[in-house]
Amino acid sequence: MNERKLIEIKNCILKKNNSICMNRVDFEFKTGEAYLITGPNGGGKADFVNALAGKVEISAERKDSVYESVLKEKVSIVSLEEAAALIQEERDRDESEYMDKQDIGRTGRAYICEVLGGSSRKNAPLPEIASRLETLPEVKLCGVEKILDRGLHFMSTGEIRRLLLCRALLSGAKLLILSDPFAGLDKESRKILLDFFDTIVKRQLSQESDSSSFPRIILCMERFTEIPVSINRVIEFKKNEVSFCGTKDQYAELLDKRIAENEKSRQQRKEDFLNSIEEIRSESKVLTDGLDAAFGDETLVKFEDVNVGYDDHKVLVNLNWEIKKGEHHLVRGPNGSGKTTIMELITGDNMQVFREKIYIFGKRRGTGESIWDIKKKLGIVSYRLHVEYRMVGGTELENVIISGFKDSIGLYEVPSDFEKAMARAWLKLAGFEGREHETFGSLSYGEQRAILIVRAAVKSPALLILDEPCHGLDQNFREKVLDLLETVASTGTTTLLHVTHDPTEVLECERNILELNPGQDPMFEIIRK
């Protein structure tokens, strides 16, 4: 079969906001190839992906520069960023306060139909095809038949991303870029996505023409794990340049050598890192002295016969569960089982908390407790927090860290010199030395996540809530975060409540497990290891 060039980029410059963000890019994408884009957080891969989508300029201004693409007119990206933007859009459209019931917002069916002749206007009539979405191969391939009539408000992160994928497939896109698609997905969702990827890519590898109704696909991932078998090429970005471009086998060989070198010095680096954390925590204690007034409470969280749901859908049924000081908990279960709902009941982001018997730090929610007293004792890393912080994306990193001491989204008072010094010490620890004046919005998704984890840990909270904290993190950041959490857990002052689908991210100290089993009887199980 004769290979044909689909994209050719030779000696080009990438420009963002009229400034050069990558000085040279060389890349070819041909029929018969299935690419993985990878590299560390902040290394340049996000700029490259956005360049392929037309959001960053590809400048062919040099003498021998070439930029040609038969796919550039219609490119769709399915990513954590796109999911965050959709969630924020739904929140902005929410009119619950003006209605006598909760506004469910757009349904999955209405959202998909927006690219099939429908309208994004609220309550707009659906096109004729809406009644037979379940029969479409794209809908079946993405496994979204059962959530088509559910409001976007009530979908899990994994369900939102599968819906985005389905809509992108039906949009007529010629190139589909899947960015970190497996992050936060349960086992069943991962299998659906892997099967989807291999099915589509095998089709594109076996044909020379563009006659298929499915788009060409490029995968972008932070880490070289769970790579679909159909991938055969890899391009890696480090320090805003192409650091590798070749076959998957060549890259796997290179990675093995790097891992072997890394292991030689990893234990010493870990010890140095943990010692640095202890030193910084000791120095910053003056900023947290007033935050532990009620740390003596033995029971931090208690649920008594808690029932939560919407319409006819039951999320939690008669849940009895408690978290005691020093008993670190892992919450697990499939996407849509209620894990995020539990987190939001604790933080107060789900309004159904006020009708249920839910006790936080010894006080029942809705009995006059101060939200600020609760926030003082909580550290939170969640998708919702990430979305909220993106709304104040102009906040400098130094101020993001300081806001962790203030329990605010953004910083609204002049920080002291000592607070600045402590923030810079934490930034150095996390690998952001010298970047304190960069803005949150200028970072890659993974870098933003790392900053939010540090922000949550700085005040040594009584309860640290971690909802998929390693979303979007490369191997280096991931190792640092897990080391940080181990240290936080060992102090005895902070109890962890951790949600993750990745068994390699479960900490040894997490010996209490809340297992959610939707559709089964019972719907939950409490396990102590």
Side-chain angles (χ1 to χ4, degrees):
M1 181 171 65
N2 295 323
E3 291 182 338
R4 184 168 65 87
K5 289 181 182 178
L6 301 169
I7 301 174
E8 181 179 13
I9 302 173
K10 180 182 176 184
N11 194 21
C12 288
I13 298 169
L14 299 193
K15 290 183 177 180
K16 186 165 57 176
N17 300 324
N18 295 318
S19 296
I20 294 175
C21 57
M22 202 171 296
N23 198 45
R24 175 167 183 147
V25 179
D26 294 289
F27 174 71
E28 281 189 352
F29 180 33
K30 298 179 286 189
T31 55
E33 294 180 336
Y35 257 97
L36 168 71
I37 303 171
T38 192
N41 295 132
K45 64 183 178 299
D47 286 334
F48 180 67
V49 165
N50 284 324
L52 294 179
K55 298 177 181 179
V56 168
E57 180 188 353
I58 301 177
S59 175
E61 59 191 46
R62 293 168 176 159
K63 259 190 176 181
D64 59 344
S65 294
V66 177
Y67 172 45
E68 297 289 343
S69 173
V70 299
L71 307 173
K72 63 182 177 182
E73 296 305 319
K74 294 204 78 175
V75 181
S76 284
I77 302 175
V78 176
S79 64
L80 293 165
E81 288 93 335
E82 298 296 313
L86 177 57
I87 291 170
Q88 182 56 48
E89 185 181 342
E90 280 303 292
R91 290 181 66 184
D92 292 342
R93 292 165 58 116
D94 190 345
E95 296 181 351
S96 296
E97 61 182 295
Y98 307 114
M99 303 168 65
D100 58 359
K101 61 179 181 178
Q102 187 167 17
D103 181 5
I104 69 166
R106 284 174 291 182
T107 63
R109 191 180 303 274
Y111 182 64
I112 288 176
C113 283
E114 289 176 10
V115 297
L116 297 173
S119 169
S120 61
R121 286 186 298 105
K122 196 147 190 169
N123 300 319
L126 299 179
E128 183 273 332
I129 196 173
S131 62
R132 49 187 177 87
L133 283 187
E134 288 87 345
T135 67
L136 301 183
E138 293 87 349
V139 172
K140 293 180 179 178
L141 200 57
C142 297
V144 296
E145 304 100 306
K146 293 181 180 178
I147 61 173
L148 287 175
D149 295 312
R150 190 186 304 172
L152 301 184
H153 281 311
F154 307 113
M155 293 185 189
S156 69
T157 305
E159 289 168 335
I160 284 279
R161 285 160 60 202
R162 279 195 276 142
L163 196 73
L164 282 168
L165 178 59
C166 182
R167 175 173 148 133
L169 284 175
L170 290 165
S171 70
K174 291 185 177 181
L175 175 62
L176 180 57
I177 302 173
L178 303 182
S179 182
D180 212 11
F182 303 110
L185 296 187
D186 59 33
K187 187 176 180 180
E188 181 182 355
S189 296
R190 284 173 188 250
K191 184 179 185 306
I192 289 172
L193 194 53
L194 278 168
D195 290 346
F196 157 80
F197 188 89
D198 282 330
T199 298
I200 302 303
V201 173
K202 283 173 184 175
R203 290 187 192 181
Q204 75 182 37
L205 294 181
S206 65
Q207 62 184 12
E208 293 184 56
S209 70
D210 298 317
S211 58
S212 171
S213 60
F214 292 109
R216 301 276 170 177
I217 294 183
I218 291 177
L219 183 63
C220 179
M221 292 180 68
E222 309 294 339
R223 295 183 285 140
F224 194 70
T225 56
E226 265 194 330
I227 303 302
V229 295
S230 48
I231 289 288
N232 56 26
R233 300 281 297 179
V234 177
I235 182 169
E236 178 193 73
F237 291 87
K238 280 186 176 182
K239 298 179 179 178
N240 294 309
E241 63 182 23
V242 177
S243 51
F244 174 87
C245 191
T247 68
K248 180 173 74 171
D249 290 342
Q250 289 170 336
Y251 186 68
E253 187 177 331
L254 173 64
L255 213 56
D256 286 342
K257 291 179 181 177
R258 289 180 184 172
I259 291 171
E261 288 296 316
N262 182 62
E263 286 301 315
K264 292 178 183 178
S265 57
R266 183 182 176 189
Q267 187 56 39
Q268 184 60 52
R269 285 200 320 275
K270 181 177 179 179
E271 289 176 10
D272 292 343
F273 177 73
L274 299 181
N275 288 336
S276 297
I277 293 174
E278 292 290 2
E279 184 178 338
I280 295 172
R281 283 167 61 90
S282 176
E283 291 178 3
S284 62
K285 194 174 188 305
V286 67
L287 297 176
T288 61
D289 276 345
L291 301 181
D292 59 356
F295 280 20
D297 295 341
E298 186 65 24
T299 299
L300 304 179
V301 175
K302 188 173 184 180
F303 283 33
E304 290 186 0
D305 292 323
V306 170
N307 290 270
V308 174
Y310 47 88
D311 296 333
D312 295 326
H313 181 67
K314 296 178 179 179
V315 180
L316 302 175
V317 177
N318 298 331
L319 176 59
N320 289 283
W321 174 62
E322 67 178 330
I323 302 173
K324 292 186 176 180
K325 182 180 177 181
E327 294 184 352
H328 308 291
H329 283 248
L330 173 70
V331 180
R332 66 189 185 194
N335 293 131
S337 62
K339 301 183 300 298
T340 298
T341 297
I342 288 173
M343 305 297 113
E344 292 183 347
L345 287 170
I346 295 172
T347 62
D349 292 313
N350 187 311
M351 291 301 101
Q352 295 187 54
V353 65
F354 298 111
R355 75 178 191 195
E356 300 296 323
K357 292 181 181 178
I358 297 175
Y359 301 83
I360 312 295
F361 307 122
K363 294 184 179 180
R364 182 175 174 178
R365 292 304 305 268
T367 57
E369 78 287 359
S370 165
I371 186 64
W372 296 108
D373 284 342
I374 290 175
K375 281 190 172 185
K376 279 195 303 186
K377 305 167 202 170
L378 288 180
I380 302 168
V381 179
S382 68
Y383 201 65
R384 176 185 284 268
L385 177 73
H386 201 147
V387 169
E388 289 177 344
Y389 235 105
R390 287 164 65 94
M391 294 174 66
V392 290
T395 306
E396 293 184 353
L397 302 188
E398 181 177 271
N399 290 341
V400 174
I401 301 302
I402 295 171
S403 75
F405 294 109
K406 312 292 185 181
D407 304 307
S408 60
I409 306 296
L411 190 64
Y412 305 98
E413 57 187 80
V414 177
S416 69
D417 290 341
F418 183 70
E419 288 173 332
K420 290 180 179 181
M422 287 298 96
R424 291 179 188 186
W426 279 102
L427 287 170
K428 179 180 179 180
L429 181 75
F432 291 87
E433 185 176 14
R435 301 177 64 183
E436 61 270 12
H437 295 305
E438 291 184 26
T439 62
F440 186 79
S442 70
L443 304 185
S444 70
Y445 187 93
E447 288 178 307
Q448 290 177 354
R449 198 69 164 191
I451 289 291
L452 291 178
I453 290 167
V454 173
R455 174 191 176 274
V458 292
K459 66 176 181 180
S460 302
L463 182 63
L464 181 55
I465 298 175
L466 305 154
D467 192 355
E468 297 287 0
C470 293
H471 261 180
L473 298 186
D474 62 33
Q475 188 62 31
N476 178 51
F477 273 128
R478 181 175 174 273
E479 285 180 4
K480 282 191 173 184
V481 163
L482 295 177
D483 289 345
L484 172 61
L485 296 179
E486 277 186 5
T487 302
V488 168
S490 69
T491 63
T493 59
T494 296
T495 301
L496 305 184
L497 175 56
H498 186 191
V499 172
T500 182
H501 288 293
D502 190 337
T504 67
E505 293 173 5
V506 177
L507 301 175
E508 188 176 343
C509 65
E510 294 166 354
R511 301 184 179 279
N512 302 275
I513 302 169
L514 175 60
E515 184 95 46
L516 301 177
N517 307 303
Q520 299 182 32
D521 187 17
M523 290 180 67
F524 67 91
E525 181 181 3
I526 296 172
I527 304 166
R528 300 190 188 278
K529 294 193 293 183

